[in-house]
């Protein structure tokens, strides 16, 4: 039977109707599944990280290179460490961090742009500081009001020439900042400047992590790395994962309504999808925890004086609870064994090399174009540098309460870093399974739609 011209055109129109319908269905589904996927942010873009071996996505048994298993870490973190750390970082002593916010990048002219007001740091009036934090007899010329929203926010240059009794002002050999130079330093209330999504995007943001990883990503295969170089990479990767999780946990979901919340797809895309990044997060957590538990006498005997006897007593009590918790001592007495590193004839030379690499990473924090990102980058890198300082003294000998010397700012950074890592581990443990189920469902739906599209196309091509 010969088809008329009208019938042929009708079948052609029907065919293209189904083609367009299938195409629209696929595009809508893909748009919905990727709607919550954010643009790359400074501390969210980790796809550029050097590609190391990835294992199975199962997180059980011993944490690699550590002396504690995943199940124990999660239990201790939820029951003991996270509650104590959350209280500790809110005390006056650990609330204020001294930092140089405006520094020239030593590697390139910064061209970063920050499109959200949350990039700026909330500065504090001098009257808010504990008296012992201020230079004696220094008076404020302006009654500064603590507020966000100014792209070029003025920085309160309160000096800090009065150190605590028992605290020293000696440079950390692992970090770049000159902590004894206080002329350009300002106090920042960390509780008023939470670490979260800032909208800092673009080439400048990506370039930071490219440069950080280039300090520890050699061109030869990863299996040729020595143990110490692997440790440095895992610390960088773990810190990167933690920062990405902080952003996912406090993300701007809708800028028009200023709606903030959890972005589980970001956490999955940047961290959970790569098992080694989760493992490195647990590793750095135990590494920093080991540094804290290795110096209990020093940290217990230090003076946490802020001029408020009740708050200072509470701070000291929380420190003791953290250092001597019986559950922690029984379940994970030595989270990481640093004694196995720097062995052999080239140990001192290797240590000096890796120390310089970390100093370069520390210097890169001055290149961050977002003020709030720079604040938390500097704090956490200083905290990690302090952990390295505690575990690996300059002369290669074991530190003790008599030989270890820490600055007040180093202890503040160390404890705040441990709290940030604790929060990340807690978020992964509690929300990780949910994020994986959601994202695996999205991937399954997308695969189904693509398969449907292929079937449609195959059918239409035959008609």
């Amino acid at each position: 039977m010969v088809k008329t011209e009208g019938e042929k055109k009708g079948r052609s129109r029907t065919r293209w109707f189904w083609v367009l319908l299938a195409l629209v269905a696929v595009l809508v589904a893909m748009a919905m599944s990727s709607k919550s996927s954010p643009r790359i942010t400074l501390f969210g873009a980790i796809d550029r990280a050097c590609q190391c071996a990835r294992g199975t996505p199962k997180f059980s048994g011993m944490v690699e290179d550590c002396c504690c298993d995943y199940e124990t870490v999660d239990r201790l973190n939820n029951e003991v460490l996270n509650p104590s750390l959350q209280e500790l970082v809110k005390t006056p002593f650990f609330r204020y961090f001294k930092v140089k916010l405006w520094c020239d990048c030593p590697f390139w002219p910064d061209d970063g742009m920050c499109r959200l007001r949350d990039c700026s740091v909330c500065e504090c009036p001098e009257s808010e500081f504990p008296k012992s934090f201020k230079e004696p007899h220094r008076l404020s010329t302006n009654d500064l009001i603590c507020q966000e929203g100014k792209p070029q926010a003025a920085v309160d240059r309160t000096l800090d020439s009065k150190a605590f009794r028992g605290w020293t002002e000696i440079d950390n050999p692992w970090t770049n900042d000159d902590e004894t130079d206080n002329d350009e330093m300002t106090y920042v209330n960390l509780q008023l400047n939470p670490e979260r999504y800032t909208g800092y995007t673009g080439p400048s943001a990506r370039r930071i992590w490219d440069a950080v990883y280039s300090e520890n990503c050699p061109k030869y295969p990863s299996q040729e790395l020595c143990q110490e170089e692997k440790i440095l990479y895992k610390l960088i990767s773990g810190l990167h994962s933690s920062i990405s999780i902080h952003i996912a946990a406090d993300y701007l979901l809708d800028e028009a309504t200023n709606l903030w919340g959890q972005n589980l797809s970001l956490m999955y895309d940047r961290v959970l999808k790569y098992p080694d990044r989760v493992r490195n997060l647990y590793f750095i957590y135990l590494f920093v925890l080991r540094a804290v538990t290795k110096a209990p006498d020093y940290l217990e005997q230090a003076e946490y004086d802020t001029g408020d006897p009740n708050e200072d007593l509470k701070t000291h009590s929380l420190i003791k609870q953290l250092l001597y918790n019986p559950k922690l001592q029984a379940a994970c007495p030595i989270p990481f064994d640093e004694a196995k590193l720097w062995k052999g004839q080239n140990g001192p030379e290797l240590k000096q090399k890796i120390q310089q690499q970390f100093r370069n990473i520390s210097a890169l924090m001055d290149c961050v174009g977002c003020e709030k990102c720079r604040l938390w980058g500097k704090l956490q890198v200083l905290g990690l540098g302090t952990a390295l300082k505690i575990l690996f003294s300059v002369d290669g000998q074991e530190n003790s309460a008599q030989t270890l010397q820490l600055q007040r700012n180093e202890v503040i950074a160390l404890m705040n870093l441990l709290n940030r890592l604790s929060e990340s581990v807690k978020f992964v443990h509690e929300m990780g399974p949910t994020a994986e189920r959601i994202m695996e469902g999205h991937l399954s739906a997308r695969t189904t739609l693509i398969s449907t599209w292929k079937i449609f196309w195959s059918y239409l091509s035959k008609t």
Side-chain angles (χ1 to χ4, degrees), residues 105-108 176 207-215 357-369 374 378:
C105 174
F107 303 105
W108 59 75
N176 183 66
R207 183 166 53 180
I208 299 296
W209 282 113
D210 288 349
V212 167
Y213 279 103
S214 70
E215 282 296 322
Q357 287 176 310
F358 194 82
R359 284 176 61 87
N360 289 340
I361 292 171
S362 173
L364 280 165
M365 294 303 101
D366 284 331
C367 301
V368 178
R374 189 184 312 125
K378 279 176 166 283

Side-chain angles (χ1 to χ4, degrees), residues 20-40:
L20 291 174
L21 182 63
L23 179 60
V24 169
V26 171
L27 292 175
V28 169
M30 293 179 69
M32 292 298 293
S33 65
S34 62
K35 184 178 180 181
S36 59
S37 298
R39 289 178 293 176
I40 293 175

Side-chain angles (χ1 to χ4, degrees), residues 172-176 227-236 239 283-284 286-292 294 336 338 341-342 350-351 353-362 380-399 404-406 410 413-414 417:
N172 187 333
W174 291 87
T175 57
N176 183 66
Q227 180 67 9
E228 290 80 0
E229 289 169 323
K230 289 180 181 178
I231 293 297
L232 178 57
Y233 170 77
K234 290 169 70 172
L235 291 174
I236 296 169
L239 180 60
F283 172 79
I284 188 177
L286 291 175
F287 184 93
V288 175
L289 179 61
R290 168 56 180 160
V292 170
K294 186 177 181 179
F336 172 80
E338 70 281 359
L341 300 180
W342 319 116
L350 178 62
K351 181 179 176 182
K353 171 191 171 185
I354 293 181
Q355 193 174 80
Q356 182 58 49
Q357 287 176 310
F358 194 82
R359 284 176 61 87
N360 289 340
I361 292 171
S362 173
Q380 293 179 88
V381 168
L382 176 60
L384 184 53
T386 304
L388 289 164
K389 178 179 177 179
I390 292 173
L391 294 180
F392 311 116
S393 60
V394 179
D395 58 5
Q397 302 299 317
E398 269 199 29
N399 286 315
L404 178 64
Q405 291 184 323
L406 297 177
E410 290 176 330
L414 178 67
L417 170 61

Side-chain angles (χ1 to χ4, degrees), residues 7 44 75 77 95 99 108-110 127 151 176 225 288 351 356 386 398 401 429-430 438 441 457:
E7 290 175 329
R75 177 171 55 82
N77 188 50
R95 185 187 307 159
V99 61
W108 59 75
D110 180 68
S127 59
N176 183 66
L225 287 171
V288 175
K351 181 179 176 182
Q356 182 58 49
T386 304
E398 269 199 29
H429 176 64
E430 293 181 351
I438 292 174
W457 183 257

Side-chain angles (χ1 to χ4, degrees), residues 122-398:
C122 179
E123 302 148 24
C124 301
E126 185 169 336
S127 59
E128 183 179 342
F129 300 135
K131 290 183 179 180
S132 58
F133 277 42
K134 298 185 293 185
E135 181 183 21
H137 312 302
R138 175 178 168 83
L139 299 176
S140 175
T141 56
N142 297 308
D143 185 16
L144 299 178
I145 299 176
C146 190
Q147 60 182 346
E148 291 186 351
K150 296 179 290 184
Q152 300 293 332
V155 177
D156 181 358
R157 305 297 186 184
T158 301
L159 299 181
D160 180 28
S161 61
K162 178 183 177 182
F164 288 100
R165 295 188 300 274
W167 298 98
T168 62
E169 290 203 353
I170 181 171
D171 287 341
N172 187 333
W174 291 87
T175 57
N176 183 66
D177 275 343
D178 179 8
E179 293 290 335
T180 62
D181 179 10
N182 300 304
D183 291 342
E184 297 182 356
M185 285 189 161
T186 182
Y187 281 106
V188 174
N189 187 332
L190 299 174
Q191 296 297 306
L192 297 179
N193 295 277
E195 182 185 23
R196 59 181 180 177
Y197 173 73
T198 64
Y200 181 41
T201 63
S204 175
R206 291 190 295 269
R207 183 166 53 180
I208 299 296
W209 282 113
D210 288 349
V212 167
Y213 279 103
S214 70
E215 282 296 322
N216 191 239
C217 281
K219 300 185 183 300
Y220 45 85
S222 60
Q223 60 266 25
E224 295 183 17
L225 287 171
C226 66
Q227 180 67 9
E228 290 80 0
E229 289 169 323
K230 289 180 181 178
I231 293 297
L232 178 57
Y233 170 77
K234 290 169 70 172
L235 291 174
I236 296 169
S237 172
L239 180 60
H240 198 171
S241 297
S242 179
I243 293 172
S244 297
I245 291 168
H246 302 161
I247 293 171
D250 197 0
Y251 192 85
L252 182 59
L253 301 175
D254 189 337
E255 190 171 353
T257 60
N258 196 35
L259 175 64
W260 291 80
Q262 299 174 353
N263 189 333
L264 297 184
S265 66
L266 173 64
M267 183 172 73
Y268 179 85
D269 290 338
R270 303 305 182 205
V271 180
L272 297 180
K273 189 164 62 175
Y274 306 93
D276 65 306
R277 295 175 185 175
V278 178
R279 288 194 290 267
N280 292 341
L281 168 63
Y282 277 77
F283 172 79
I284 188 177
Y285 181 40
L286 291 175
F287 184 93
V288 175
L289 179 61
R290 168 56 180 160
V292 170
T293 58
K294 186 177 181 179
D297 293 340
Y298 187 95
L299 294 174
E300 180 192 2
Q301 295 170 13
E303 295 194 21
Y304 301 97
D305 175 29
T306 63
D308 185 331
N310 292 329
E311 287 290 345
D312 298 342
L313 184 62
K314 177 183 176 181
T315 303
H316 191 259
S317 176
L318 288 170
I319 286 287
K320 290 182 66 175
Q321 291 177 30
L322 182 67
L323 295 173
Y324 301 110
N325 186 278
K327 290 184 179 180
L328 176 61
Q329 291 181 329
C332 194
I334 304 179
F336 172 80
D337 183 10
E338 70 281 359
K340 59 187 177 183
L341 300 180
W342 319 116
K343 300 296 183 182
Q345 187 174 1
N346 65 337
E349 180 182 350
L350 178 62
K351 181 179 176 182
Q352 188 175 12
K353 171 191 171 185
I354 293 181
Q355 193 174 80
Q356 182 58 49
Q357 287 176 310
F358 194 82
R359 284 176 61 87
N360 289 340
I361 292 171
S362 173
L364 280 165
M365 294 303 101
D366 284 331
C367 301
V368 178
C370 161
E371 187 178 14
K372 189 167 288 184
C373 303
R374 189 184 312 125
L375 163 66
W376 283 100
K378 279 176 166 283
L379 181 145
Q380 293 179 88
V381 168
L382 176 60
L384 184 53
T386 304
L388 289 164
K389 178 179 177 179
I390 292 173
L391 294 180
F392 311 116
S393 60
V394 179
D395 58 5
Q397 302 299 317
E398 269 199 29

